Amino acid sequence: MDLLSEEMLYQKSSQELTALLYEGLIMNLEEAIECIKTKNFMDTNKKIQKANDILERLGVGLKYEAGPIAEQLDTLYNYMANLLIEANLRKDPQIIQNVLKLVQPIAEAWNEILKKQVHTQSNVTKKVLAYENNIMRKNF
């Protein structure tokens, strides 16, 4: 994940920030696995803690009025956080791999939704601009 300036972060939509959180989560999980393989347990601990922090932020950002999927995601985030605590205690890369298997499809689905949303917004913007151009021609 590229480093983003604070200004760039403020320009991101909440949906784009969620995508960045998923990306950071996956990156930290993959790096934690590598740290375990190299027996770098201090960095393993840091990476797993960062991953848990991201899971907490994802949970805080849920909008429960959106329906039952928010509650299900909250339960899933809590489950993954508990798995990561266990993985950190045991320094078990397989547990982290299991969390990755849960998170990756969610992140992929989120990114697909973002792509479709951008495409839809682009079409709406084109229609609005065409309408405004038509109005401007009629008025002058």
Side-chain angles (χ1 to χ4, degrees), residues 43-64:
D43 284 344
T44 300
N45 182 49
K46 290 177 186 174
K47 298 296 179 183
I48 292 175
Q49 284 182 358
K50 280 185 182 180
N52 255 336
D53 288 345
I54 292 170
L55 283 170
E56 182 180 344
R57 290 170 196 233
L58 285 166
V60 168
L62 290 171
K63 295 182 180 179
Y64 289 95

Side-chain angles (χ1 to χ4, degrees), residues 100-128:
L100 265 172
K101 287 178 185 176
L102 292 170
V103 134
Q104 286 172 325
I106 298 169
E108 290 169 10
W110 189 264
N111 287 328
E112 281 300 312
I113 290 169
L114 271 182
K115 287 178 191 174
K116 289 179 182 178
Q117 184 180 26
V118 168
H119 180 70
T120 302
Q121 286 175 346
S122 176
N123 287 342
V124 169
T125 303
K126 287 178 187 176
K127 289 177 183 177
V128 167

Side-chain angles (χ1 to χ4, degrees), residues 24-89:
L25 176 59
I26 291 168
M27 182 184 70
N28 278 289
L29 293 174
E30 290 171 344
E31 289 175 2
I33 291 170
E34 289 304 311
C35 288
I36 291 172
K37 288 179 183 176
T38 61
K39 302 204 183 309
N40 184 348
F41 298 128
M42 290 289 280
D43 284 344
T44 300
N45 182 49
K46 290 177 186 174
K47 298 296 179 183
I48 292 175
Q49 284 182 358
K50 280 185 182 180
N52 255 336
D53 288 345
I54 292 170
L55 283 170
E56 182 180 344
R57 290 170 196 233
L58 285 166
V60 168
L62 290 171
K63 295 182 180 179
Y64 289 95
E65 60 274 3
I69 192 150
E71 291 176 25
Q72 292 168 346
L73 280 171
D74 186 43
T75 302
L76 186 58
Y77 294 156
N78 288 329
Y79 173 70
M80 289 188 281
N82 288 333
L83 285 177
L84 289 179
I85 291 168
E86 182 181 345
N88 202 6
L89 288 171

